[in-house]
Amino acid sequence: MTEPQAARKNLRGDYRGAGSDYSVEQDWDNYTAAEHALYRRLFERQSKLVPRYACPEWIEAITRLDAASGIPEFEKISAKMKKATGWQIVAVPGLIPDDAFFTHLANRRFPVTVWLRKPEEFDYIVEPDVFHDFFGHVPLLFDRVYADHLYEYGKGGLKAMRLDAVKMLARLYWYTIEFGLMNTPVGVRAYGAGLLSSGGELAYCVDDPRPERLRFDLERIMRTDYQIDRYQDRYFVIDSFEQLMLETAPDFTPIYARIRSP
Ligand code: PHE
Ligand code: FE
């Protein structure tokens, strides 16, 4: 998912027949040959970029996934992922409400959209589709620390709902899980899913001199608004998933209160 919110109207996707947790059948047999071919083209384009721009954990995981030949069958991937980190994929029609989203994460289920973009959206799409969700998010769920962090995030989301603080927590998701950068021995690399699945922004976020690249700063992130429909003006850089885990471990209740009071 691109963000833990579904407040936007006119969500794309077929929500009829979705369960109360918004899960649906992936219905893998119904993807057309043209859809598999489009997915493969997206996969091939990104595959040329990731050796240079993706973080090592992502690169290590994708080799285990065998996901290049077409839209993957979620059940097969889930079986492998379950062994590695306890996570599973749950098929969803598109963006889902906060409570359903956080509840899935807090149960080690990652919601993946079933539909694929249209050919004319090859370069850019605002809502998450199966390519973004799969290519961007799923490989990192094979990394133990990242996977544990996202589980903690899900629990933190349910708590943020009770504290009316979802907007602040969603910014954390945005600047880490979606658009996060990481320092590595070979330079800055991307781990955010919105970057990994993007044909243009993946090189931009690492190479372009224009955007700010700031050290990870939890409170600053929670105060920083973001744009969903263009390349980011700023990125936050972590040193490792361990750092992300450690710095998000404290109770956010006083931080939320501090940010709220001017
Ligand atoms: N520590 C956060 C809290 O108390 C929960 C959380 C963990 C949020 C990890 C995000 C990531 O609310
Ligand atoms: Fe996403």
Side-chain angles (χ1 to χ4, degrees):
M1 308 301 287
T2 295
E3 62 215 277
Q5 58 105 337
R8 282 186 269 150
K9 299 212 168 58
N10 302 321
L11 291 179
R12 188 166 164 183
D14 185 358
Y15 289 76
R16 290 167 304 171
S20 58
D21 64 352
Y22 285 83
S23 64
V24 293
E25 289 294 319
Q26 185 190 12
D27 210 1
W28 189 80
D29 292 325
N30 266 337
Y31 290 119
T32 64
E35 285 173 321
H36 285 298
L38 176 60
Y39 175 97
R40 272 198 304 277
R41 278 210 293 137
L42 287 160
F43 195 98
E44 278 157 21
R45 173 182 60 182
Q46 287 318 96
S47 295
K48 295 195 183 96
L49 298 170
V50 285
R52 162 95 178 80
Y53 296 111
C55 70
E57 291 86 348
W58 188 96
I59 291 172
E60 138 80 20
I62 196 74
T63 58
R64 295 200 267 160
L65 275 186
D66 180 27
S69 57
I71 300 169
E73 284 187 69
F74 297 167
E75 274 182 26
K76 288 191 179 158
I77 305 291
S78 283
K80 290 189 194 178
M81 209 157 72
K82 205 154 187 186
K83 280 190 205 136
T85 56
W87 278 75
Q88 282 172 269
I89 292 173
V90 54
V92 291
L95 290 169
I96 62 174
D98 294 337
D99 57 341
F101 180 71
F102 294 138
T103 300
H104 281 306
L105 298 187
N107 288 281
R108 294 187 184 264
R109 294 190 297 257
F110 193 78
V112 174
T113 302
V114 290
W115 56 266
L116 183 67
R117 69 192 70 188
K118 301 274 169 262
E120 55 275 21
E121 296 168 311
F122 193 75
D123 284 320
Y124 198 80
I125 183 169
V126 175
E127 274 176 86
D129 71 339
V130 61
F131 182 74
H132 163 78
D133 280 343
F134 194 86
F135 192 91
H137 290 283
V138 169
L140 286 171
L141 287 167
F142 281 78
D143 182 84
R144 165 68 54 195
V145 181
Y146 179 97
D148 285 348
H149 166 72
L150 202 57
Y151 164 73
E152 295 298 333
Y153 182 93
K155 289 194 294 180
L158 294 171
K159 173 171 153 187
M161 288 187 75
R162 294 193 295 273
L163 297 170
D164 193 21
V166 170
K167 188 172 173 187
M168 288 176 257
L169 193 70
R171 288 172 175 162
L172 175 63
Y173 192 89
W174 186 267
Y175 286 114
T176 58
I177 303 302
E178 292 296 348
F179 291 95
L181 295 179
M182 180 193 284
N183 283 315
T184 79
V186 286
V188 169
R189 293 291 181 262
Y191 72 91
L195 300 170
L196 290 163
S197 67
S198 166
E201 194 166 359
L202 184 50
Y204 174 89
C205 70
V206 171
D207 287 340
D208 198 282
R210 282 168 293 180
E212 287 186 281
R213 294 177 188 83
L214 307 165
R215 287 190 63 77
F216 179 85
D217 177 336
L218 180 67
E219 208 163 314
R220 182 162 179 181
I221 285 175
M222 287 191 181
R223 293 177 190 275
T224 305
D225 226 338
Y226 57 80
Q227 297 286 332
I228 67 163
D229 55 1
R230 54 179 165 86
Y231 292 176
Q232 302 300 298
D233 296 327
R234 65 192 55 78
Y235 302 98
F236 288 89
V237 190
I238 61 171
D239 291 324
S240 64
F241 291 138
E242 283 83 2
Q243 179 204 9
L244 184 59
M245 187 80 164
L246 265 163
E247 296 211 23
T248 54
D251 180 5
F252 287 0
T253 311
I255 305 177
Y256 293 147
R258 192 154 63 230
I259 295 174
R260 236 191 236 110
S261 60

